Amino acid sequence: MNLVVTGATGGAGSWVVDHFASEGHDVLGLDLERPAGERDNATFLATDLTEQGRAWEAITDHDPDAVIHFAGIPKLGIATGTETFLTNVTTAYNVFEAAGRAGADVVWASSESLYGMPFAAEPFLPDYLPIDETHPMRPEDGYGTSKLVGEEIAAKTVRQHGISVASIRPSWIQYPGAYPVADERASFDPETAARSGNFWSYVDVRDVVSIVDAALEADIDGHEPYLAVAEENYLDRPTTEVIEAVFGDLPDECDLEGDESAFSTAKARAELGWEPAHSWHEAEDEALAGPAFLSK
């Protein structure tokens, strides 16, 4: 396939480029800057995707079969809430519109932050556990709101252009051999711990890549969101016990066993045939280099 990957030099985006290039696809990587090195089957352009003309030209000139959109400000705290919102929404609009005009399906990085709990001033309990794709979305911050609006833009693009869009909602993305959750687990004390709005969930970057791959292969009709989360929390403790200890309560509807993640991946398993394959138990000490094209 001819693929366009935005955010091609970013954390997860660079792994996406590396994977699809290694599979022999023709990949065009877009980001604000080109990487230091090169990659077989991949070319890179430096462009600002908040500029409509630049975004449309870069994407449509490649005549893509699909667009994988990972560009944008990846979390709260890097820029102001306003800049985060405007950058992510503008980029999503420009990329989706260009993909629609090119007749290319889209897989993009939404977020579990759109539910509202992760970046809330005071993280709150969900309506039920485990959280799934139909749970109400109540973001209070620029980042989560940008992802909620991005999914509305995705639905609009589907209606207007007839393409499909898969919105992947990953939890906190971890990289093999560099799992910051290890430090959080080592220092965790339920008596003094702050509330975690993602309920101590995470996902390995390789599982993010594999769900993107699965979404591209699937016969998706319209716009569909999919949670991408590891099977278990990263604390090595029973999930409901931790939530109750830290939050002081549990939702009335609660169906979790052991250290099972607070987010359900049942939809991705059923519709995409995807399931997470990596766990902190092995991956946080795993020696695995990232994409070589990022460095000379």
Side-chain angles (χ1 to χ4, degrees), residues 51-72:
E51 297 289 339
Q52 183 188 68
R54 297 179 187 182
W56 287 14
E57 179 182 2
I59 293 170
T60 58
D61 279 0
H62 192 64
D63 191 22
D65 298 301
V67 174
I68 303 169
H69 177 47
F70 271 68

Side-chain angles (χ1 to χ4, degrees), residues 184-260:
E184 295 214 5
R185 183 172 57 257
S187 62
F188 182 79
D189 180 352
E191 298 296 325
T192 59
R195 292 183 175 189
S196 168
N198 78 343
F199 310 104
W200 302 276
S201 67
Y202 73 100
V203 64
D204 190 282
V205 67
R206 292 165 292 180
D207 288 327
V208 174
V209 172
S210 69
I211 196 172
V212 170
D213 203 343
L216 284 181
E217 292 293 328
D219 185 18
I220 295 173
D221 183 16
H223 169 240
E224 293 292 343
Y226 298 98
L227 280 159
V229 187
E231 290 184 342
E232 70 290 307
N233 69 54
Y234 59 76
L235 294 178
D236 202 22
R237 295 168 181 257
T239 306
T240 54
E241 290 182 15
V242 172
I243 293 174
E244 187 169 27
V246 176
F247 283 78
D249 202 359
L250 287 169
D252 291 338
E253 184 181 341
C254 184
D255 184 18
L256 294 175
E257 295 184 1
D259 63 353
E260 179 183 355

Side-chain angles (χ1 to χ4, degrees), residues 11-135:
S14 61
W15 284 74
V16 171
V17 169
D18 209 41
H19 167 74
F20 285 103
S22 71
E23 294 291 312
H25 300 288
D26 180 10
V27 180
L28 172 64
L30 303 178
D31 215 319
L32 289 172
E33 296 182 356
R34 297 182 73 257
E38 302 294 334
R39 179 57 165 101
D40 289 345
N41 300 324
T43 56
F44 299 93
L45 288 177
T47 191
D48 184 351
L49 295 171
T50 65
E51 297 289 339
Q52 183 188 68
R54 297 179 187 182
W56 287 14
E57 179 182 2
I59 293 170
T60 58
D61 279 0
H62 192 64
D63 191 22
D65 298 301
V67 174
I68 303 169
H69 177 47
F70 271 68
I73 297 175
K75 62 181 180 179
L76 198 65
I78 296 176
T80 64
T82 301
E83 183 178 354
T84 299
F85 176 81
L86 292 175
T87 298
N88 290 353
V89 170
T90 303
T91 299
Y93 187 91
N94 290 342
V95 170
F96 294 175
E97 182 66 18
R101 289 168 180 255
D105 293 333
V106 176
V107 180
W108 80 291
S110 182
S111 173
E112 34 92 270
S113 298
L114 52 64
Y115 294 110
M117 292 83 79
F119 291 127
E122 182 67 18
F124 50 89
L125 285 172
D127 291 4
Y128 53 83
L129 287 167
I131 301 158
D132 60 16
E133 288 81 359
T134 65
H135 189 282

Side-chain angles (χ1 to χ4, degrees), residues 133 223-227 264-273:
E133 288 81 359
H223 169 240
E224 293 292 343
Y226 298 98
L227 280 159
S264 171
T265 57
K267 181 179 179 181
R269 292 170 189 263
E271 297 184 9
L272 303 181

